[in-house]
């Protein structure tokens, strides 16, 4: 069975830094469950071979376990942690970056009727499905190359393309295909997401973001909420607070300065919203982070 071999390959090749000898491919082995970790999802495929992962995006909760996969089509602020992990029975996972250029090439090469018809409406930026054997088999063949370095340069790109094709023609294919479409609803929302990420301390008007995305204000609101599971203002707040958390890990006594740096004029509001998101006030959370590494829950989306 592909899942059994996938578990074996992940167990043997997992490293502390998650890297592998194949670009864009990560594997993880986590043998404990701890507090949720906030991170950015990236455009990725993540597959669980053993154990499980729980992910929160806004008010949406995604949980996936052995033989299931998650795809993220846009870089989103998520909070996640592994579940059902213990020493001797670790969570094992595979991750691969989804390359828009390769997806676009596959779309151009597809013949009439090769791909399902797209519904057209914006889809959520994250989805979970059961992994068919064909997808697991392609992942296993890619990971076998970790034992065959002489074959990697030639075969890794081929197996990656097969994995992308299996995703594009699978249950969540519409989400993946949108990554490669220059004029999809996802690409329009991605412009706004990128602007907010790069300019998170700055206030903005929603109508400006709608104009940047080439949409009416109502269409922009609807599509942004569909893709990110939150409003533009909520999205900006998550980016601000995640950035603040990283800054406070290095400067735990500079809460007011960090609050201003990420765009908050009111330190009290900053502390309230920080505690609501991370479960502890900034001063306590910063010391907790510095005391030791958190769970590897952010290793894969």
């Amino acid at each position: 069975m592909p899942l059994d071999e996938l578990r074996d390959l992940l167990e043997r090749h997992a490293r502390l830094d998650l890297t592998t000898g194949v670009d864009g491919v990560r594997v993880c082995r986590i043998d404990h469950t701890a507090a949720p970790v906030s991170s950015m999802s990236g455009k990725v495929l993540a597959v669980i071979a053993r154990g499980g992962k729980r992910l929160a995006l806004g008010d949406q909760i995604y949980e996936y376990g052995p033989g299931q996969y998650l795809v993220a089509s846009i870089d989103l602020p998520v909070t996640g942690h592994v579940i059902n992990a213990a020493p001797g029975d670790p969570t094992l996972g595979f991750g691969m970056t989804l390359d828009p250029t390769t997806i676009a090439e596959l779309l151009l090469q597809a013949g009439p009727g090769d791909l399902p018809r797209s519904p057209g409406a914006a889809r959520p930026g994250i989805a979970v499905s059961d992994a068919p054997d064909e997808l697991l088999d392609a992942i296993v063949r890619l990971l076998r190359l970790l034992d065959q370095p002489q074959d990697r340069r030639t075969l890794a790109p081929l197996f990656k393309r097969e994995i992308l094709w299996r995703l594009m023609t699978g249950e969540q294919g519409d989400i993946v295909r949108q990554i490669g479409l220059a004029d999809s609803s996802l690409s329009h929302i991605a412009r706004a997401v990128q602007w907010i990420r790069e300019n998170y301390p700055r206030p903005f008007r929603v109508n400006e973001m709608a104009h940047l995305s080439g949409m009416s204000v109502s269409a922009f609101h609807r599509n942004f909420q569909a893709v990110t599971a939150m409003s533009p203002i909520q999205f900006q707040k998550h980016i601000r607070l995640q950035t603040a958390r990283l800054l406070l890990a290095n400067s735990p006594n500079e809460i007011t300065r960090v609050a201003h740096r990420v765009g908050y004029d009111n330190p009290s509001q900053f502390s309230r919203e920080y505690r609501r998101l991370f479960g502890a006030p900034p001063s306590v959370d910063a010391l907790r982070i510095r005391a030791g590494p958190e769970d590897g829950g952010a290793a894969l989306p």
Side-chain angles (χ1 to χ4, degrees), residues 200-202 240-241 243-245 247-248 251 253-274 282:
Y200 63 86
R202 296 172 52 184
R240 285 178 168 181
L241 293 173
T243 303
R245 199 179 196 214
L247 294 172
L248 286 172
S251 306
N253 298 318
E254 300 183 12
I255 294 172
T256 299
R257 184 183 68 81
V258 167
H260 285 299
R261 181 171 172 179
V262 299
Y264 281 86
D265 295 326
N266 186 329
S268 297
Q269 180 187 4
F270 168 73
S271 294
R272 287 195 303 273
E273 293 183 354
Y274 189 102

Side-chain angles (χ1 to χ4, degrees), residues 85-243:
D89 189 22
T91 287
L92 298 170
F94 163 90
M96 188 181 91
T97 302
L98 302 178
D99 178 42
T101 300
T102 305
I103 293 171
E105 291 173 356
L106 289 169
L107 287 170
L108 290 173
Q109 293 170 6
D114 288 347
L115 294 168
R117 183 181 297 274
S118 172
R123 296 283 307 280
I126 289 178
V128 170
S129 284
D130 293 334
D133 284 346
E134 295 83 0
L135 174 61
L136 294 177
D137 184 62
I139 293 170
V140 164
R141 282 184 278 116
L142 177 63
L143 291 177
R144 284 176 187 161
L145 296 178
L146 298 178
D147 295 318
Q148 302 162 354
Q150 73 279 5
D151 297 331
R152 285 181 204 160
R153 186 185 300 274
T154 300
L155 295 181
L158 301 178
F159 295 154
K160 285 182 180 181
R161 290 172 71 87
E162 181 181 351
I163 290 168
L164 291 175
W165 181 256
R166 298 297 181 189
L167 292 175
M168 292 166 60
T169 57
E171 186 174 1
Q172 303 303 336
D174 186 51
I175 293 176
V176 179
R177 293 193 299 273
Q178 285 196 51
I179 298 173
L181 294 173
D183 199 39
S184 66
S185 298
L186 177 67
S187 69
H188 295 311
I189 295 302
R191 292 183 208 138
V193 165
Q194 182 177 354
W195 190 95
I196 295 171
R197 289 194 62 202
E198 293 175 351
N199 300 276
Y200 63 86
R202 296 172 52 184
F204 66 85
R205 297 178 182 274
V206 173
N207 62 342
E208 296 172 345
M209 290 294 98
H211 178 73
L212 175 67
S213 303
M215 297 180 177
S216 67
V217 173
S218 60
F220 174 72
H221 259 298
R222 182 174 63 254
N223 283 279
F224 196 98
Q225 185 82 33
V227 171
T228 68
M230 59 189 83
S231 72
I233 300 301
Q234 289 172 322
F235 185 91
Q236 181 191 49
K237 183 188 299 182
H238 274 70
I239 299 298
R240 285 178 168 181
L241 293 173
Q242 285 193 1
T243 303

